[in-house]
Each structure stands twice: as C-alpha cells, then as structure tokens.
Amino acid sequence: MSKYYVDKFLYTVDRDPELLRRYKEDPRALVTTWEQSIGPKLNDYERSTVHSLTDAEREALIRHDYVALFEMGAHFFLSLTIFIALYDEEYMAKHGPLSFQREFAAKLSHWAGKEYPSVAT
Amino acid sequence: MATLAAVLASTHHPFYLKATTAPPEQQMPQAAEWKRKVEAYRETLTRAEPDILVMVGADHFHQFFLDNYPTFLIGKAPRYDATFYNEEREFGLPKYVLEGHEELSGYMLQGLLDREFDFAFSNELKIDHSIICPIITVRPQADLPVVPIYANIFAPPLPSPKRFWKLGRAIREIIDAYPSDKRIAAIGTGHLSLELGGPRQFGEHGPDPEFDRQAIEWLANGDIEAILANVTHESLAKAGNATAGFMDMILMLGIAGPEKAAYVDNLDLFHTMEAYFTWYPEGAAA
C-alpha cells in the first residue's frame, strides 16, 4: 500500500489541466502513463524507484472511485478537489449546485459517526 | 518598537468572492448578508491603519507536497505570487502579486529560531488561498507588504494545539520587539468545524454546530485555558476531518494574548460556520 503514491497521483494530475483532461477522458490510459513516466519523477532529471501502486489503488484511481480512495486514506482535500474538477460541472447542469458534493457525501454515509481511515502518510 | 495594531482571526471561505460577485439572480440567499458582515469586519482592520501584514495560513498542497511538507515555514522574499491554477479553476480566485517585507521576515525568522521554533523558510513562495482569502475579505486593495507564515494543520502528524498557542506567543514577542515605528497587523485564517471529502461535507450547517458555538465563545473570551483543556487532535477530528484548521485560530489567539476580543461576529452558512474576531492589543483602535 502506498497512500503517498496515491496522493502523488491526485496531486500531480489535479495541478495540470492537460493531465486532468486525460484523466477524465481515458482514466486507464492516463494511470498507465502516469505510472510509467510521471509518478517516478523526483524532478525534471532525477527518478525515484521507491513507490508503486497496488492493484487495488490502481483500480480505484482508474474507476474514479472516491469511496475506495477515502477508505484507503487518500488525502481528503486532494480527493475532493480532483473529483469536483471532473464532475461538478455536469452535475450542476443536471441536478443543480452542490449536487455532486452531496452525492459524494452520501456515498460515504456509512462512515458517519465512525473514526475515518487515517490520511497520515 | 513596532506597534501591534490589530490581530484578526477568521475562518476562510474560498467561495466568498464567487458567491458575492455572481449576477444577483444566481447569488445564494445569504450573499448580501455575508458581504455586509465581511465589509464590517474589514473596517476593523482599516481603522487600525496597518503598514505591514503578518499573515498566517497553511499550504493546501499547492507549493508543498508530502515529499517535503514543512511543519512551520516563513516566507522571506521581495514579492509573492499568489493563486494556483487549481484554485482559479475551483474557486474563481484571481492571481495576485503581493509585496514582501524581507526585513521583518528576516527578523521574525531569527526571532523564532532564538525562541526554539526551528522554522523552514522559502525565498520563492507562491501563496495560496489561505492567505489570499483574507486579502480579499479584509484588504482587497492588496497594497501592503506581507510576511507569510505557514503552519501545518493539513498533513498529519500535526503539532499539538499547545504548540500553536506557544508559536502565537512567540510571534507576539517578536513583533513587540521589532525595532521599527511601523504599525503591524497580524491576520490569520483557519476553520471552525469543517468536513472535506467525507460524509459530513456540504451539509446545511457545519459538521458540528455545538463545537462551533463553543469555539466562538472560547475565542471571544480569549479563554485559552478552556481551549487547551478541551481541544485535542482527536476532539478536532470528531468535529470534522478538516477541523484541525482551528489550530490556526489558536495560534492567532496566541498573538493576541488571553484577552476578550474587541470584535466578534459569525454567520451560519451551508457547509461551515463563518466567524470573525479582532483584538486590539493597544486598546480600542481609533
């Protein structure tokens, strides 16, 4: 398990409009590309060999599965921000303001009143 | 010696600008009231006539990430760019360039090190909405030099509530000792109860209205004893997964000292309770 690497995916994709577009249009292709050439980047030249995604983490990212990501302890701010970027506009047009955010909350309702999975890395 | 002209502690709500500048027919019902309250709060800074702003916030994974996340960091740069692409996208926040104040940044950094707060520093810091939100609410002309300070309320493990209080106390000592005739205002933002990316987000109120009521009373009375007796990382997490931002409010109370606030206001919005506090360490300003 690498919460850090899941967070790195969310962080690097959310801050780049082109990666974000590709993550929306073809998540499987973008996750593959990310694991090959973006995730290992320490800076423009240096590469890190330390982290990798587990199968469950990879699938959760490919499926835009924010419930699974919450349960793995992905950072809440990164997860909320990136999925708002992917879904808020279309939900807003169909169902009105905050409808995506409220569906997001409802899908996690089984966690209400419980201790959440830790986001500490 | 410098004068600490005002201490402002408030919640920051990145949607304030969008909510109050949308065409009237698209505005939320509370937009006009929200704007009135913010403009009244702004006046508490204006009448303190500050020359320099010491601003406390937290980087929300904009410049800093988990490969190198500072617990405490101060900006020491001639200027600061502000607002990242994903903040423009999500919140509709404009870009800014704020003037820095390298002399006070340097004095503050040395003063913190001397008081055993081993700060990280940045000579090239792009600041995020934790500092731009209060610029928009209390100093929209963005015309004063700033000294940005970041404290980690965001990427656990976090420093203790008591450490935030002590850091505030240290910042206060350093401002009081700064050899200058300038008037300094300290402005910091955090949160009351807040949930992001969890089951209690975006409800009709904040996730824990009882915590909010209690927290406002504590801050209004400057009751640090009650805060330190009751607030732990666990109690904050129970009130919402992002409620750790309350520790930046504790830091600001540390700068003000254990005193009643001169100005207290709040606004119950969907998703979160807004709250606004001002202290005048020199007595009632103007």
Side-chain angles (χ1 to χ4, degrees):
Chain A
M1 176 175 101
S2 176
K3 267 193 257 184
Y4 169 78
Y5 218 41
V6 170
D7 284 343
K8 187 174 183 182
F9 177 91
L10 299 171
Y11 166 76
T12 51
V13 174
D14 183 68
R15 62 201 274 109
D16 182 320
E18 175 59 17
L19 295 180
L20 196 60
R21 185 187 63 75
R22 290 161 63 188
Y23 186 44
K24 186 172 174 69
E25 288 174 3
D26 190 348
R28 186 171 296 275
L30 190 269
V31 170
T32 303
T33 302
W34 188 89
E35 286 192 86
Q36 288 167 355
S37 57
I38 302 169
K41 267 181 138 174
L42 203 53
N43 59 38
D44 286 347
Y45 185 75
E46 299 295 336
R47 293 292 175 272
S48 165
T49 59
V50 175
H51 295 285
S52 57
L53 296 174
T54 65
D55 290 345
E57 290 165 345
R58 184 179 303 113
E59 278 309 303
L61 290 171
I62 289 170
R63 287 185 284 111
H64 295 174
D65 186 347
Y66 50 78
V67 174
L69 293 170
F70 178 91
E71 292 176 349
M72 291 169 183
H75 198 285
F76 51 83
F77 187 87
L78 292 170
S79 177
L80 177 61
T81 302
I82 198 166
F83 292 113
I84 282 178
L86 297 184
Y87 290 108
D88 186 43
E89 221 174 280
E90 60 190 71
Y91 273 69
M92 177 100 80
K94 271 191 224 157
H95 311 291
L98 300 177
S99 52
F100 175 69
Q101 289 84 339
R102 286 180 174 147
E103 181 177 302
F104 190 130
K107 285 187 178 173
L108 286 165
S109 58
H110 53 291
W111 283 97
K114 294 185 188 154
E115 190 180 336
Y116 300 171
S118 170
V119 301
T121 46
Chain B
M1 297 300 110
T3 299
L4 180 57
V7 179
L8 278 75
S10 76
T11 48
H12 72 244
H13 200 312
F15 288 108
Y16 169 75
L17 187 66
K18 223 179 188 176
T20 54
T21 56
E25 67 280 7
Q26 291 170 24
Q27 287 188 5
M28 56 191 277
Q30 287 159 303
E33 186 188 8
W34 196 1
K35 192 163 182 229
R36 275 198 305 280
K37 283 182 180 271
V38 162
E39 287 175 355
Y41 186 50
R42 181 180 305 157
E43 183 54 31
T44 71
L45 177 67
T46 307
R47 70 171 185 248
E49 299 181 339
D51 302 306
I52 308 171
L53 307 178
V54 171
M55 302 200 67
V56 175
D59 182 85
H60 297 60
F61 292 150
H62 287 118
Q63 180 159 339
F64 301 104
F65 182 59
L66 297 167
D67 59 331
N68 192 5
Y69 196 88
T71 298
F72 297 121
L73 175 138
I74 184 167
K76 184 173 179 294
R79 274 176 298 286
Y80 302 94
D81 290 302
T83 307
F84 288 75
Y85 145 71
N86 42 10
E87 297 174 294
E88 285 185 287
R89 182 193 72 212
E90 185 176 359
F91 308 134
L93 295 176
K95 290 200 181 288
Y96 288 84
V97 182
L98 301 181
E99 285 300 309
H101 197 289
E102 284 189 276
E103 186 190 285
L104 179 54
S105 279
Y107 186 84
M108 182 70 73
L109 174 55
Q110 188 58 55
L112 289 163
L113 293 167
D114 293 345
R115 288 165 181 79
E116 298 179 344
F117 282 92
D118 302 322
F119 260 58
F121 63 90
S122 173
N123 295 142
E124 189 173 32
L125 179 65
K126 182 162 182 169
I127 59 188
D128 84 356
H129 69 269
S130 63
I131 286 177
I132 286 306
C133 289
I135 287 289
I136 289 168
T137 52
V138 298
R139 195 73 185 187
Q141 356 21 344
D143 59 341
L144 296 177
V146 302
V147 171
I149 291 176
Y150 278 159
N152 180 15
I153 48 90
F154 193 67
L158 309 178
S160 69
K162 192 172 189 181
R163 190 73 174 149
F164 279 80
W165 162 256
K166 286 186 169 175
L167 174 57
R169 294 274 70 197
I171 292 170
R172 170 62 179 272
E173 275 182 27
I174 297 163
I175 292 173
D176 284 346
Y178 181 49
S180 160
D181 59 2
K182 298 291 187 193
R183 295 175 63 79
I184 297 173
I187 300 171
T189 64
H191 298 290
L192 299 180
S193 73
L194 181 65
E195 176 103 340
L196 297 171
R200 293 173 286 177
Q201 70 178 359
F202 294 95
E204 294 305 313
H205 306 280
D208 191 341
E210 175 52 27
F211 173 85
D212 295 342
R213 190 199 58 73
Q214 182 70 78
I216 290 170
E217 192 182 306
W218 287 332
L219 290 169
N221 291 324
D223 193 350
I224 187 60
E225 283 185 24
I227 291 175
L228 294 181
N230 288 284
V231 173
T232 62
H233 293 152
E234 293 70 29
S235 75
L236 293 172
K238 277 197 180 125
N241 66 352
T243 309
F246 181 66
M247 293 194 294
D248 272 338
M249 309 290 267
I250 301 175
L251 191 164
M252 298 315 294
L253 184 61
I255 302 178
E259 310 288 339
K260 280 190 191 307
Y263 182 92
V264 179
D265 198 7
N266 67 283
L267 175 64
D268 190 12
L269 286 179
F270 76 95
H271 187 48
T272 175
M273 174 77 82
E274 289 279 275
Y276 313 102
F277 305 88
T278 301
W279 290 262
Y280 294 114
E282 298 293 307

